[in-house]
Amino acid sequence: MFSQTIETPIQVIDWLAWTKLGVQVSIKREDTIHPFISGNKWRKLKYVLQEARVNNKTHLVSFGGAYSNHLVALANAGAQYGFKTTAFVRGEEVHNHMLGLCKCWGMELIFVSRDAYRNKQKLFDDYSGTSKQMLMIDEGGRGASAAKGCEEILDDVEGYTHVCCAVGTGTTLAGLAIAAQRKNIIAEGFCVLKGAEEIEDDIRVLTNKHTSFVMHHQFHFGGYAKSDEAMMPFIQTFAKETGILLDQVYTAKMVRGVDELIKQGHYPYGSKILLIHTGGLLGLLSMI
Ligand SMILES: *Cc1c(COP(=O)(O)O)cnc(C)c1O
C-alpha cells in the first residue's frame, strides 16, 4: 500500500512573457499520480496510512469542508485499501460532486455546525468512544507524517533555483522546504487563505529552526475558495497554451502569484523555477 516510490513528469512551460525576462519555468505534474488521490494528497496520506495499518487501525476519521480534496482522496484510499472512513464535514448539509464521490466510496458523512467543527478532538472522542480501531486524521491530512511524504516530491528533482507550491495547511510546503534545503533550492509558498500569517508557525513546527522558506501572503485573491473575475480567463488561457488544467482554489493562485512576481523582477535573471502541480482538479468542476 502506497509503498512504491513515485516519479512524476516535469513539463517545461515556454511562455514568452516569462522566458524573455530570463526565467525558466517548469511544472511537476503531481496531479498525474492518481485521478482521485491527487497530487499532494497521495504524498500526504502515504505514511499516515502505512502507520494506520501497522497500528491495526481499521477506521479512518477525518475532517474537511464540503469541497475538500483531502476527503475525496481519503474516501478513495479507504475503499481501495480496506479502511472504513468517516468525515466530519463543516457546515450545513449540502450535496455536491465532491461529497457525492466520497459517498460512492462508502465514506460516512457527518455534517456539523461551524461551532462544533472547531473542536475536532471532541468530535472524534465522542464518536470513537472506547474503540481502539479508529484513527483521527487532522483536517487536510496535515501533520508530521504527511510532511515526510511531501519531502519525496523532490526526490527526483535536480537543478532548480526555486520550487513553488500553493499553501493551505502548509504541510506540503514544510516537506518541500526540508527537501529543498538539502538541494540548495529556495522553497516558496503561496498562501490561498487571507490573513493567515500564523501558518508560518505551523510550518516551523513541522520543520526545524534551520529550515528556511519564503511565504507570499498577497495572492489569496479574496480568501479561501474565493477568487476574482480574472481567475477563469487565466485558467482558460493557461490550459489552452500548455494543456495543463489548474484549479481555482490552489494551483491557479500559485501560478498567478509566480506570474506577477516574475513580472515584478522578484526572481533573478537565470532563475529556474519548478512549480508543483498539487492536483485538485475535481474542484474546478464546481466552477465550470
Ligand atoms: C490540499 C491542497 C493544497 C494544500 O496543501 P497543504 O499541505 O494543506 O498546504 C494545495 N493544492 C491542492 C490542489 C490541494 O488539494
Side-chain angles (χ1 to χ4, degrees), residues 31-167:
D31 57 309
T32 63
I33 290 182
H34 189 283
F36 304 114
I37 315 173
S38 171
N40 61 346
K41 300 303 181 280
W42 194 98
R43 304 284 186 181
K44 290 170 84 170
L45 283 172
K46 176 176 174 178
Y47 291 106
V48 172
L49 295 200
Q50 284 181 7
E51 287 157 16
R53 183 68 30 103
V54 168
N55 294 316
N56 293 319
K57 304 291 184 184
T58 55
H59 188 162
L60 311 172
V61 181
S62 195
F63 309 85
Y67 286 92
S68 168
N69 295 321
H70 162 66
L71 291 184
V72 170
L74 187 71
N76 181 273
Q80 204 172 320
Y81 298 112
F83 295 98
K84 272 201 222 173
T85 53
T86 296
F88 287 96
V89 183
R90 182 182 59 231
E92 270 152 50
E93 179 157 356
V94 289
H95 300 279
N96 61 39
H97 64 285
M98 303 291 274
L99 295 175
L101 286 170
C102 291
K103 280 191 267 187
C104 280
W105 292 308
M107 178 176 256
E108 175 192 23
L109 302 178
I110 304 173
F111 293 88
V112 292
S113 71
R114 277 157 206 277
D115 239 11
Y117 187 84
R118 265 176 216 119
N119 196 341
K120 300 185 182 62
Q121 189 65 52
K122 180 172 184 335
L123 288 172
F124 178 77
D125 291 345
D126 290 349
Y127 179 75
S128 61
T130 55
S131 163
K132 296 255 177 297
Q133 271 138 40
M134 292 193 205
L135 175 69
M136 175 172 163
I137 300 176
D138 205 346
E139 183 178 44
R142 72 204 303 164
S145 300
K148 183 176 150 197
C150 291
E151 286 183 42
E152 297 176 359
I153 295 173
L154 293 188
D155 274 359
D156 52 340
V157 163
E158 233 37 90
Y160 293 89
T161 56
H162 300 77
V163 58
C164 298
C165 74
V167 170

Side-chain angles (χ1 to χ4, degrees), residues 40-41 44 69 166-172 247 250 278-280:
N40 61 346
K41 300 303 181 280
K44 290 170 84 170
N69 295 321
V167 170
T169 66
T171 303
T172 304
D247 79 297
Y250 294 103
T278 40

Side-chain angles (χ1 to χ4, degrees), residues 40-41 44 67 69 90 164-173 188-200 203 214-228 231 246-258 276 278-280:
N40 61 346
K41 300 303 181 280
K44 290 170 84 170
Y67 286 92
N69 295 321
R90 182 182 59 231
C164 298
C165 74
V167 170
T169 66
T171 303
T172 304
L173 178 60
E188 297 198 356
F190 292 75
C191 191
V192 304
L193 297 94
K194 186 175 171 179
E197 277 75 15
E198 75 282 354
I199 288 178
E200 293 184 38
I203 294 171
V214 178
M215 268 280 259
H216 300 287
H217 288 284
Q218 68 274 39
F219 301 110
H220 54 72
F221 299 97
Y224 184 71
K226 303 214 170 76
S227 61
D228 61 5
M231 192 60 84
L246 302 170
D247 79 297
Q248 75 281 12
V249 180
Y250 294 103
T251 48
K253 290 185 179 181
M254 180 263 298
V255 177
R256 284 181 71 184
V258 170
I276 305 298
T278 40

